[in-house]
Amino acid sequence: MPIPSSLVTLLVGMALVLSGLWVGYNVNLLPLDASVNAPVYDSLFRVLFSIGTILFLGIVGLVVFSLVRFRRRAGDHTDGLAIEGNLLLEIVWTAIPAIVVLFVGIYSYDIYERMGGMSSLNDHSAMHRMPAMETMEASVSTAGAGADPMAGTALKAPRVWGGIGTGGGETNVLPVEVTAMQFAFIFHYPEGDITSGELHVPNGRPVELRMKANDVIHAFWVPQFRLKQDVIPGQPTVLTFTPTKAGSYPIICAELCGPYHGGMRSTVVVHEPDAYDAWLRKNSPVTATVASAPSTPTA
Amino acid sequence: MTVASPNDFQDSLQPQGWLRYFSFSLDHKVIGIQYLVTGFIFYFIGGALAGVIRAELASPISDFVSRETYNEVLTLHGTVMIFLWIVPVVNGGFGNYLIPFYVGARDMAFPRLNAVAFWMIPPAGILLIGSYFITGAAQSGWTAYPPLSITTPALGQVVWIVSVLLLGGSSIFGGINFIATVLKLRRPGLKLMQLPMYCWAMLGTSILVVLSTPVLAGTLLLLSFDIVAHTGFFNPALGGNVVVYQHLFWFYSHPAVYIMVLPAFGLVSEILPIHARKPLFGYTTMVYSIMAIVVLGLVVWAHHMFTSGTPPWMRLFFTIATSFIAVPTGIKFFNWLATLWGGKLALNSAMLFSCAFIVNFVFGGITGVALAQVPFDIHVHDTYFVVGHFHYIVYGGTVFVIFASIYHWYPKFTGRMLNEDLGRLHFLLTFVGFNLCFAPQHWLGLNGMPRRVAEYDPSFTTLNQISSVGALLMAISSLPFLYNVLVSAFRGQVAGDNPWNALTPEWLTSSPPPVENWVGAAPLVEHPYGYGVDEDTLSLEAATGRDLWSGTGRR
């Protein structure tokens, strides 16, 4: 008895979905996840990878099957069947991709919100509420406003043009000012007045990078944090992340910035909190003089 | 209705024979071949530049060329491949050759404008390539983002701008010509919904060209003012805004992707039904999906700027708009699969390249939907993931279709067949080399290799070397192709007028066609895809072409 084609289709479809899910959840293409939003990103990646695998295997399978099953046999000069279309099929394969991309869009919006992307620096909505604008903009940089060289007066805090902010809900944020130039990143810590070529941050504490560029556009990228933000001359941007794993990770410039673009790299060192405090004390010109005598035994 | 005929303009000074390919010819077929051959010359130049890039990246340190030269090479590679190879070939080349046949005209609407459009390309190309040897080429990538493009050596950048302006002008002239030809020069009695699909693709593409290319031209003019006259449109030191440039640039350059792939969609819609011996599945939805891609293609540009100075609402809007382009694109792919289903597929080079196009483009489309998601893109933007993605679209997509089209229409161009064995060898080498070259780049991007770098983390060496081997295979694959194309022109098997037994109008005349395309009146082709056997229809062998295309004896 021949197997009905609907049953074959169902079985092939189930096998496809299962293999797509298996690939999505078992093939790891990503580097170490070392920030709070990296596992969130990875779950989005797994979903996209699964859906993509199902679609790709299905379509390649159809192409290969057609090429083998429907190939022209030698000596056969006849035509195929004169099928010019099928409205039901057209509706099905319009609706299914539409539902899939709608789902993917809503899901990635949710992921983006969990990463903090939607919450901060609402400069667009701020424009519609003119009186509130200055306070909102100022709130982005309240924590380090005193040390911000670009904030001449408290009211004229620079507008933040892009990036992922803290959303204002975080306390205990570590502000770091980032200056990008050809071909280096300079990190300045308002807390201890430290200037460094490497980024040192404590594990588990939110870090807010306030970034500006001196010459051309650069981009700050840490693959292990799954975060990137352009550093744009004339337009300050922010990037917030919370590291979760101690270690050293590369900082990479991702925007073509001149001949030595490929060499424009640095390192972010994630310390355990007490090791970070030790690093801060060791390098800070302010605390080094004040706190050196009493704290030497424990440091 | 007046139809411009080349004869109206021809005088005794117009060269005949092979010399006409080097002349200001007004014959759309000559201009089409001029575009194609010029395009292939630039393809090999751009390919050599890609070879330099892959040689440099075979080792993690910058050791093959100097860093400045590397940036010049990557800028030239991108500019040559986009503006001198893909856009002129799939629009100007095949468009000029095929569109007048498809609408039943004897030439394009504006033959002189057509010749001018072509003859703007060689000077622009020579200017661009020559700038490397004379002034030093531009170093800021094909995107020419300020302030980098303002601070790198000015002369090379200005030459780059002049060259792109010339090519953009050529593209606009071509676009106007295609719109006029498709809408106004149709043979009496031929309805819009009876046109072959390539006409619709070219109509959509030309609308995009005419709407978006002037924006690029204006933007580059402002950029040249910033460089030459020290104005401050995009110079932050003078109060300019660098992100505005990105918006204006991508307002052209994202539609430019559709200017490169929509004609390929059209060409593949012509090739598949003929070699599958089946009608094109879902003609009407194919037409609407082309127009949907045109509309959506104009409102997705900011997805190139998700990590730039872009507010959250804009990131969200462009994510959703970009994702939805997958729907009309998906419709087209499912329709092609349905066209193959139940056919009698001839596994020749044209069919193999077309099917590989489907596979490659679906892969690039899936990574494209992923890249449209802001959180996904924030990680992989400006990395080798993106390089892999767009090469799957423009090479795996459009260039594969260009090769399929050469195998398909070469008998029409020359009257001789290409060698099928060499064609299949070419296909095999290209397909393997292409995937070896670009598939590993996705992993590289995910794991931390940014694009446009001459040096990289040594842990990425092995995959980069695999990628370079793939590039070498692609270079080797062009040898059997070149040999095949050059030798078959003289020694190839004589094709006859209609070797594929096709129904579209370009095959219903001699190969190569006469100057005015048809002896006598142009045929009225109401069913360009009327292949296939119904229960009670006549068999193809028993019928003449005229029976089939005129509809007599059909149903």
Side-chain angles (χ1 to χ4, degrees):
Chain A
M1 179 188 147
I3 306 164
S5 62
S6 56
L7 188 63
V8 174
T9 316
L10 184 70
L11 287 174
V12 170
M14 282 166 67
L16 259 180
V17 170
L18 287 176
S19 57
L21 289 173
W22 185 87
V23 167
Y25 284 83
N26 287 284
V27 178
N28 181 32
L29 299 177
L30 291 161
L32 181 77
D33 54 333
S35 75
V36 164
N37 74 292
V40 181
Y41 176 95
D42 293 2
S43 57
L44 170 70
F45 184 87
R46 273 193 291 276
V47 169
L48 292 175
F49 195 23
S50 296
I51 296 174
T53 307
I54 295 166
L55 283 173
F56 185 69
L57 288 182
I59 289 173
V60 172
L62 276 175
V63 170
V64 172
F65 178 82
S66 300
L67 284 177
V68 175
R69 170 71 181 74
F70 302 119
R71 72 185 186 280
R72 193 182 300 170
R73 274 33 174 216
D76 183 358
H77 297 292
T78 58
D79 275 12
L81 292 169
I83 311 163
E84 296 199 332
N86 183 321
L87 187 63
L88 184 67
L89 268 178
E90 301 281 356
I91 291 170
V92 166
W93 63 49
T94 308
I96 290 177
I99 292 165
V100 169
V101 295
L102 197 65
F103 162 73
V104 167
I106 290 170
Y107 180 60
S108 75
Y109 167 78
D110 177 53
I111 294 279
Y112 189 50
E113 200 162 30
R114 277 153 72 186
M115 286 168 63
M118 295 306 292
S119 52
S120 72
L121 54 107
N122 264 319
D123 54 48
H124 183 73
S125 52
M127 291 229 241
H128 296 298
R129 284 178 274 142
M130 286 305 279
M133 188 173 75
E134 280 161 337
T135 46
M136 279 193 68
E137 283 179 353
S139 72
V140 176
S141 56
T142 35
D148 191 349
M150 280 158 50
T153 62
L155 277 177
K156 290 200 172 168
R159 176 182 170 192
V160 175
W161 291 72
I164 292 177
T166 55
E170 300 278 358
T171 52
N172 191 30
V173 176
L174 171 67
V176 182
E177 286 153 12
V178 182
T179 307
M181 62 184 75
Q182 288 174 324
F183 297 93
F185 294 102
I186 308 290
F187 303 98
H188 180 253
Y189 293 74
E191 276 190 354
D193 196 24
I194 300 172
T195 302
S196 167
E198 282 184 339
L199 181 59
H200 289 258
V201 292
N203 195 1
R205 184 173 166 195
V207 180
E208 185 185 79
L209 303 177
R210 296 165 190 165
M211 307 197 286
K212 64 188 179 72
N214 280 359
D215 35 42
V216 300
I217 304 172
H218 303 274
F220 178 97
W221 179 34
V222 179
Q224 282 75 9
F225 294 169
R226 315 280 193 273
L227 281 178
K228 186 185 291 109
Q229 174 58 43
D230 285 7
V231 193
I232 306 166
Q235 300 190 5
T237 52
V238 295
L239 190 62
T240 309
F241 62 88
T242 308
T244 53
K245 288 185 179 136
S248 296
Y249 313 109
I251 295 172
I252 300 162
C253 174
E255 182 71 56
L256 179 65
C257 60
Y260 288 82
H261 166 54
M264 185 169 165
R265 301 165 69 93
S266 181
T267 308
V268 49
V269 183
V270 181
H271 298 282
E272 292 303 339
D274 44 350
Y276 172 74
D277 290 338
W279 177 84
L280 204 64
R281 270 199 301 280
K282 200 173 117 200
N283 289 283
S284 169
V286 186
T287 49
T289 48
V290 178
S292 60
S295 68
T296 26
T298 48
Chain B
M1 177 169 180
T2 53
V3 177
S5 148
N7 272 354
D8 300 345
F9 305 107
Q10 258 169 4
D11 50 37
S12 56
L13 289 175
Q14 193 74 344
Q16 300 299 313
W18 62 272
L19 260 179
R20 69 188 192 278
Y21 291 104
F22 295 89
S23 74
F24 192 81
S25 172
L26 305 183
D27 182 348
H28 71 99
K29 298 179 290 298
V30 174
I31 295 175
I33 300 292
Q34 285 175 326
Y35 267 108
L36 280 175
V37 173
T38 315
F40 267 97
I41 291 170
F42 285 116
Y43 169 62
F44 292 118
I45 294 173
L49 293 166
V52 173
I53 294 173
R54 284 319 316 173
E56 173 65 72
L57 293 177
S59 72
I61 51 169
S62 172
D63 53 0
F64 184 67
V65 290
S66 77
R67 291 177 169 84
E68 286 81 3
T69 309
Y70 183 80
N71 284 357
E72 290 177 326
V73 166
L74 69 85
T75 305
L76 284 178
H77 168 72
T79 314
V80 166
M81 288 303 203
I82 291 167
F83 292 109
L84 288 163
W85 155 240
I86 293 183
V87 171
V89 165
V90 290
N91 291 278
F94 291 107
N96 272 306
Y97 202 98
L98 297 175
I99 293 289
F101 282 111
Y102 285 172
V103 300
R106 299 197 186 275
D107 208 305
M108 295 287 287
F110 312 114
R112 240 168 244 284
L113 185 69
N114 205 15
V116 170
F118 168 73
W119 281 106
M120 286 166 83
I121 289 177
I126 292 166
L127 208 58
L128 186 69
I129 309 282
S131 74
Y132 174 82
F133 299 101
I134 298 163
T135 65
Q139 294 182 21
S140 51
W142 84 278
T143 50
Y145 276 10
L148 185 65
S149 51
I150 300 174
T151 53
T152 44
L155 202 49
Q157 195 66 51
V158 171
V159 172
W160 180 87
I161 290 173
V162 171
S163 154
V164 173
L165 284 177
L166 278 172
L167 295 167
S170 158
S171 187
I172 294 171
F173 291 167
I176 292 169
N177 219 340
F178 288 126
I179 294 175
T181 307
V182 171
L183 293 183
K184 286 294 169 198
L185 286 199
R186 263 172 296 126
R187 179 201 188 286
L190 185 62
K191 299 186 184 71
L192 271 175
M193 292 306 271
Q194 294 169 339
L195 288 173
M197 194 54 61
Y198 183 60
C199 293
W200 283 104
M202 282 308 297
L203 184 63
T205 308
S206 302
I207 292 170
L208 282 178
V209 165
V210 171
L211 286 180
S212 62
T213 318
V215 177
L216 176 76
T219 312
L220 292 183
L221 269 181
L222 296 182
L223 183 65
S224 69
F225 291 160
D226 274 9
I227 295 170
V228 176
H230 304 288
T231 52
F233 296 107
F234 308 124
N235 188 346
L238 298 173
N241 188 323
V242 294
V243 177
V244 168
Y245 174 89
Q246 297 177 14
H247 278 292
L248 294 170
F249 179 82
W250 288 113
F251 185 80
Y252 165 76
S253 296
H254 191 80
V257 177
Y258 298 100
I259 293 169
M260 291 187 272
V261 301
L262 275 180
F265 287 179
L267 292 168
V268 100
S269 303
E270 303 304 329
I271 296 169
L272 286 180
I274 291 173
H275 296 285
R277 309 308 307 168
K278 270 191 69 197
L280 182 67
F281 197 91
Y283 179 94
T284 317
T285 40
M286 292 289 251
V287 170
Y288 286 128
S289 58
I290 285 176
M291 290 306 157
I293 291 173
V294 169
V295 173
L296 283 172
L298 283 169
V299 292
V300 298
W301 75 89
H303 67 225
H304 295 269
M305 302 163 56
F306 281 158
T307 69
S308 190
T310 319
W313 71 267
M314 206 186 268
R315 290 175 164 183
L316 190 65
F317 171 78
F318 283 100
T319 287
I320 290 176
T322 309
S323 302
F324 266 92
I325 270 203
V327 177
T329 314
I331 292 172
K332 298 193 74 68
F333 279 81
F334 289 121
N335 276 309
W336 287 323
L337 291 174
T339 305
L340 294 178
W341 191 266
K344 307 257 177 163
L345 312 185
L347 300 188
N348 52 31
S349 312
M351 180 57 111
L352 290 173
F353 269 108
S354 301
C355 289
F357 149 79
I358 294 179
V359 171
N360 295 334
F361 197 98
V362 164
F363 189 87
I366 288 168
T367 55
V369 173
L371 281 169
Q373 314 305 320
V374 179
F376 186 93
D377 184 70
I378 284 178
H379 176 48
V380 293
H381 176 75
D382 261 332
T383 68
Y384 258 84
F385 190 93
V386 175
V387 176
H389 157 74
F390 70 68
H391 280 94
Y392 265 82
I393 296 295
V394 288
Y395 197 103
T398 306
V399 178
F400 270 64
V401 171
I402 292 173
F403 283 129
S405 304
I406 296 290
Y407 286 99
H408 181 75
W409 277 290
Y410 190 86
K412 182 47 63 182
F413 299 157
T414 64
R416 287 175 189 273
M417 305 296 284
L418 283 170
N419 182 310
E420 267 303 316
D421 291 331
L422 282 174
R424 290 201 191 94
L425 176 68
H426 173 217
F427 166 76
L428 193 70
L429 285 171
T430 311
F431 187 70
V432 173
F434 165 77
N435 282 292
L436 212 55
C437 183
F438 294 110
Q441 295 182 354
H442 294 88
W443 188 91
L444 288 170
L446 284 170
N447 284 273
M449 182 165 165
R451 66 191 280 203
R452 294 171 164 175
V453 290
E455 54 217 299
Y456 54 84
D457 189 310
S459 64
F460 299 144
T461 310
T462 313
L463 276 183
N464 269 297
Q465 283 169 347
I466 291 174
S467 181
S468 293
V469 169
L472 183 65
L473 268 182
M474 286 161 80
I476 293 170
S477 80
S478 59
L479 295 178
F481 172 74
L482 264 183
Y483 176 84
N484 200 353
V485 168
L486 294 177
V487 171
S488 298
F490 305 101
R491 297 212 196 131
Q493 184 199 333
V494 174
D497 289 348
N498 192 353
W500 310 125
N501 207 1
L503 300 179
T504 38
E506 83 275 27
W507 297 103
L508 306 180
T509 181
S510 63
S511 298
V515 172
E516 291 193 310
N517 294 351
W518 288 280
V519 178
L524 175 63
V525 181
E526 290 176 311
H527 299 281
Y529 305 113
Y531 307 101
V533 278
D534 283 339
E535 289 88 336
D536 54 346
T537 193
L538 74 173
S539 72
L540 261 183
E541 289 99 322
T544 66
R546 184 169 291 271
D547 287 338
L548 287 165
W549 51 252
S550 62
T552 47
R554 203 176 170 283
R555 289 207 186 92

